[in-house]
């Protein structure tokens, strides 16, 4: 889930491959919509104060389609002035939005749900103008976006406090209160779902939101401001900002360090999450970090091997492996290893895959090839490649922006792929002599977002699930799953905080105690005793 590199203002805040993808134009863009040099590209504005902003001190950048390499749009980017304006407006709007009842916030978010189906066509067109996504991902993304937004609407009306007991007979209540303006930095890979999730849960809890759009799919974000406006969200409650490669680090740091920005939520890689978390810590800002992982699928002796192979391959190669919950490693008990390897390979062959799977990040195909080549050079074997059963990872079906579905076995611990999240269609197979050794390997990873366990022994499955150090465990199902009433987030380096339901309430609100000394319970305090014994 690579989104941005931030904080080090003197270093390039994007990978070099992405830097090649975006060119900055220094002159601010004219609101007349005229193009220089005969260009005829869509213009992606900022969204500030509930309006499109087409001129900016930051100028504009040109973005290229990840598959064709052709320029797809011109993006207005926020400079220091626009960021400051967005922050001040977000703080102003927060004072209005936090006073809305949970039912009023629910009504706005429910209206978003109502509007979404009629806008799916335009949203998909905007998405595919910038990047390549398969139809199954687009359809799944739509369904997930509707589900999570509807869940956020229910969350808005579900925020509760309590009435705790007191030792002095006073009356106390505890409430959950919003933080204030929240900076949201979503990932690109499940585009509509992740963009909306980063917006609707903070809004449901009474916060205003400033969104940093993804530079990989800016045209999708362009349509979100009008969507929420038309749903009745007060102007200024949502700001959507685009940034240039040159200035993104400084602008993100500007927002995190500003006193009026009260919390941050980020979905992305562990490496970038650490950078952001350090900056949040410097300014004592609470954060939600939903980071990547090295998700494992465990196959035990009593498992339905065909079911396991099917779900594991789907979880590994859906969206070309570009999902934080993608299955990266299969951990198989030695007793069924030979049989399962045969079933896994047969299932992959029968899928009819052919050639490279498209990847969104520029250079991602080259990065996948580098990981696979290093694995083979270290002694690993290619069990399956989409080009042919014996094709090597260096097959011509890979490119700078694509890579074929590949299964690698006999991976040594010294290979980078053993610990690095590939975020590509690469799956590794590992054999172990016992369930305890499988658990030991699974928990040795520094990350822990999600895992799967395949077995027909429910008692064993629950025992393994309890011992796995991960935020979610799916028994006889793939590692990819998200549901509006199930808290979603990771353990260890996969982050902290939760999206969805009660988890979102805990993450996007803070507690407050209000204590009332009831009539007849008041007492005068002994001021004369303060100095006693000093």
């Amino acid at each position: 889930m690579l989104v941005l590199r931030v904080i080090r203002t003197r270093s390039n805040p994007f990978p070099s491959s992405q830097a090649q993808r975006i060119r900055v134009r220094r002159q601010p863009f004219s609101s007349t919509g005229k193009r220089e040099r005969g260009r005829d590209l869509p213009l992606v504005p900022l969204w500030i104060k509930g309006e499109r902003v087409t001129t900016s001190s930051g100028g504009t950048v040109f973005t290229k389609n990840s598959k064709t390499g052709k320029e797809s749009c011109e993006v207005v980017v926020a400079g220091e002035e626009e960021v400051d304006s967005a922050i001040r407006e977000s703080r102003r709007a927060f004072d209005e939005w936090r006073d809305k009842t949970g039912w009023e916030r629910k009504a706005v978010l429910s209206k978003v749900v109502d509007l979404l189906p009629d806008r799916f066509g335009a949203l998909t067109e905007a998405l595919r103008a910038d990047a390549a996504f398969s139809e199954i991902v687009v359809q799944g993304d739509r369904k997930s976006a509707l589900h999570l937004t509807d869940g956020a609407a229910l969350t808005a009306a579900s925020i509760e406090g309590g009435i705790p007991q007191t030792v002095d007979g006073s009356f106390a209540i505890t409430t959950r209160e919003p933080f204030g303006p929240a900076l949201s930095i979503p990932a690109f890979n499940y585009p509509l779902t992740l963009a909306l999730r980063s917006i609707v849960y903070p809004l449901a809890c009474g916060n205003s939101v400033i969104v940093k759009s993804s530079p990989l799919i800016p045209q999708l974000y362009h349509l979100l401001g009008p969507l929420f406006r038309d749903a009745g969200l007060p102007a200024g409650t949502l700001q959507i900002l685009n940034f240039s490669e040159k200035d993104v680090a400084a602008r993100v740091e500007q927002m995190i360090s500003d006193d009026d920005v009260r919390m941050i939520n980020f979905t992305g890689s562990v490496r970038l999450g650490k950078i952001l978390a350090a900056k949040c810590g410097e300014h004592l800002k609470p954060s939600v970090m939903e980071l990547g992982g090295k998700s494992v699928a465990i196959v035990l002796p009593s498992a339905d091997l065909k079911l396991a192979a099917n779900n594991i391959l789907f979880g590994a190669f859906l969206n070309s492996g570009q999902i934080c919950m993608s299955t990266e490693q299969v951990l198989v008990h030695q007793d069924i290893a030979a049989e399962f390897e045969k079933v896994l390979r047969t299932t992959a062959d029968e899928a009819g895959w052919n050639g490279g799977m498209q990847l969104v990040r520029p250079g991602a195909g080259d990065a996948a090839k580098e990981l696979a080549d290093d694995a083979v050079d270290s002694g690993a074997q290619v069990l399956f490649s989409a080009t042919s059963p014996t094709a090597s990872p260096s097959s011509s079906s890979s490119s700078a922006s694509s890579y074929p579905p590949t299964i690698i076995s006999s991976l040594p611990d010294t290979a980078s792929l053993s610990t690095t999240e590939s975020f590509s269609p690469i799956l590794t197979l590992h054999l172990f002599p016992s369930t305890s050794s499988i658990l030991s390997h699974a928990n040795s990873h520094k990350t822990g977002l999600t895992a799967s366990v395949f077995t027909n022994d429910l008692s064993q499955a629950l025992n393994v699930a309890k011992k796995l150090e991960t935020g979610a465990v799916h028994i006889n199902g793939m590692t990819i799953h998200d549901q509006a009433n199930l808290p979603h987030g990771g353990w260890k380096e996969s982050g902290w905080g939760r999206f969805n339901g009660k988890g979102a309430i805990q993450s996007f609100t803070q507690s407050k105690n209000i204590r009332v000394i009831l009539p007849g319970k008041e007492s005068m305090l002994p001021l004369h005793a303060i100095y006693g014994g000093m």
Side-chain angles (χ1 to χ4, degrees):
M1 284 187 170
L2 187 58
V3 185
L4 93 150
R5 182 181 300 152
V6 297
I7 308 311
R8 295 191 183 112
T9 58
R10 293 186 179 180
S11 63
N12 183 350
F14 283 102
S16 58
S17 58
Q18 188 162 314
Q20 296 169 1
R21 187 174 183 264
I22 299 176
R23 296 188 292 105
V24 178
R25 188 166 90 192
R26 298 300 170 199
Q27 298 78 18
F29 193 81
S30 169
S31 61
T32 63
K34 292 176 63 179
R35 297 293 189 269
E36 293 184 354
R37 300 189 301 276
R39 293 182 181 276
D40 186 19
L41 295 172
L43 180 69
V44 178
L46 306 170
W47 185 260
I48 301 175
K49 300 181 182 180
E51 298 179 345
R52 294 178 175 88
V53 176
T54 57
T55 61
S56 168
S57 63
T60 64
V61 297
F62 294 102
T63 298
K64 292 182 179 180
N65 182 282
S66 63
K67 183 176 182 178
T68 66
K70 296 180 179 179
E71 289 183 345
S72 59
C73 62
E74 186 170 12
V75 182
V76 180
V77 297
E80 184 175 357
E81 298 172 19
E82 290 74 32
V83 169
D84 186 73
S85 175
I87 293 172
R88 304 288 86 78
E89 178 66 9
S90 190
R91 182 63 182 82
R92 181 206 62 76
F94 167 65
D95 290 335
E96 175 185 355
W97 182 244
R98 70 175 172 183
D99 289 337
K100 301 289 186 184
T101 68
W103 295 102
E104 289 173 315
R105 296 197 294 269
K106 177 179 182 293
V108 171
L109 296 176
S110 295
K111 184 62 174 178
V112 173
V113 175
D114 292 340
L115 292 174
L116 270 172
D118 288 339
R119 306 200 181 191
F120 279 151
L123 287 163
T124 301
E125 183 180 357
L127 173 66
R128 284 183 164 156
D130 290 329
F133 287 91
S134 67
E135 185 63 24
I136 192 172
V137 170
V138 169
Q139 294 299 325
D141 189 29
R142 290 177 174 183
K143 183 177 179 181
S144 175
L146 278 173
H147 173 67
L148 292 185
T149 303
D150 191 38
L154 296 174
T155 297
S158 303
I159 301 171
E160 299 177 344
I163 305 176
Q165 296 290 321
T166 61
V167 297
D168 58 359
S170 60
F171 179 77
I173 60 175
T174 62
T175 64
R176 301 296 306 186
E177 305 288 345
F179 286 99
L183 169 60
S184 293
I185 307 177
F188 72 88
N189 51 303
Y190 221 56
L192 185 58
T193 296
L194 296 182
L196 287 177
R197 185 184 72 174
S198 76
I199 297 170
V200 296
Y201 281 111
L203 287 180
C205 294
N207 305 281
S208 55
V209 180
I210 304 169
V211 177
K212 178 207 166 292
S213 72
S214 170
L216 299 171
I217 49 173
Q219 295 188 71
L220 175 78
Y221 283 79
H222 166 44
L223 300 179
L224 299 183
L227 170 66
F228 281 87
R229 176 200 61 199
D230 295 347
L233 186 70
T237 311
L238 172 63
Q239 324 281 340
I240 302 175
L241 304 180
N242 316 310
F243 297 104
S244 70
E245 173 241 332
K246 174 181 178 293
D247 296 329
V248 60
R251 299 289 73 80
V252 170
E253 183 165 2
Q254 178 187 349
M255 289 187 285
I256 293 176
S257 64
D258 194 290
D259 290 342
D260 279 340
V261 175
R262 298 297 176 85
M263 69 139 341
I264 293 87
N265 75 84
F266 170 71
T267 300
S269 72
V270 173
R271 179 178 62 84
L272 302 179
K274 287 181 177 180
I275 297 172
L276 280 168
K279 185 55 62 175
C280 290
E282 180 181 336
H283 295 281
L284 292 178
K285 298 291 177 72
S287 62
V288 175
M289 294 283 162
E290 199 266 272
L291 309 179
K294 193 74 177 169
S295 297
V296 302
I298 295 170
V299 185
L300 299 176
S302 67
D304 180 331
L305 300 189
K306 290 185 178 180
L307 173 71
N310 171 273
N311 276 244
I312 287 168
L313 291 174
F314 197 93
F317 299 139
L318 177 65
N319 201 22
S320 308
Q322 300 170 115
I323 300 175
C324 61
M325 298 175 280
S326 293
T327 309
E328 291 254 341
Q329 295 189 343
V330 189
L331 315 182
V332 186
H333 196 286
Q334 188 69 53
D335 290 355
I336 55 168
E339 184 180 0
F340 178 74
E341 183 175 308
K342 180 180 179 181
V343 171
L344 184 68
R345 183 167 176 170
T346 299
T347 305
D349 284 332
E350 293 175 348
W353 297 319
N354 183 23
M357 284 184 161
Q358 192 65 35
L359 297 163
V360 175
R361 287 187 289 116
D366 289 340
K369 182 179 183 300
E370 183 177 343
L371 281 172
D373 285 350
D374 172 73
V376 172
D377 290 344
S378 300
Q381 297 179 350
V382 177
L383 180 66
F384 169 85
S385 174
T387 50
S388 72
T390 58
S392 72
S394 59
S395 165
S396 60
S397 65
S398 66
S399 70
S401 61
S402 69
Y403 197 77
T406 300
I407 304 173
I408 292 176
S409 63
S410 305
L411 181 70
D413 293 340
T414 55
S416 296
L417 187 58
S418 66
T419 55
T420 302
E421 181 184 19
S422 72
F423 213 63
S424 65
I426 300 177
L427 177 68
T428 59
L429 179 65
H430 308 257
L431 313 182
F432 295 91
S434 64
T435 302
S436 60
S437 60
I438 288 175
L439 277 168
S440 178
H441 178 85
N443 290 335
S444 69
H445 292 302
K446 293 182 178 181
T447 57
L449 186 59
T450 183
S452 288
V453 180
F454 291 91
T455 175
N456 286 324
D457 184 336
L458 183 58
S459 176
Q460 182 185 43
L462 292 174
N463 183 55
V464 170
K466 185 176 180 179
K467 293 179 180 179
L468 282 168
E469 297 172 353
T470 185
V473 180
H474 306 285
I475 297 172
N476 294 325
M478 67 172 173
T479 55
I480 300 171
H481 183 81
D482 197 5
Q483 186 172 316
N485 63 327
L486 298 180
H488 176 73
W491 285 22
K492 301 187 289 187
E493 289 191 1
S494 287
W496 52 76
R498 294 293 183 266
F499 289 95
N500 304 346
K502 292 181 179 179
I505 294 172
Q506 291 292 322
S507 294
F508 292 103
T509 64
Q510 53 195 330
S511 65
K512 177 184 286 185
N513 296 325
I514 301 174
R515 176 172 163 264
V516 180
I517 308 300
L518 297 172
K521 298 290 185 179
E522 308 96 330
S523 62
M524 301 299 288
L525 303 176
L527 293 174
H528 65 277
I530 289 178
Y531 280 88
M534 293 182 69

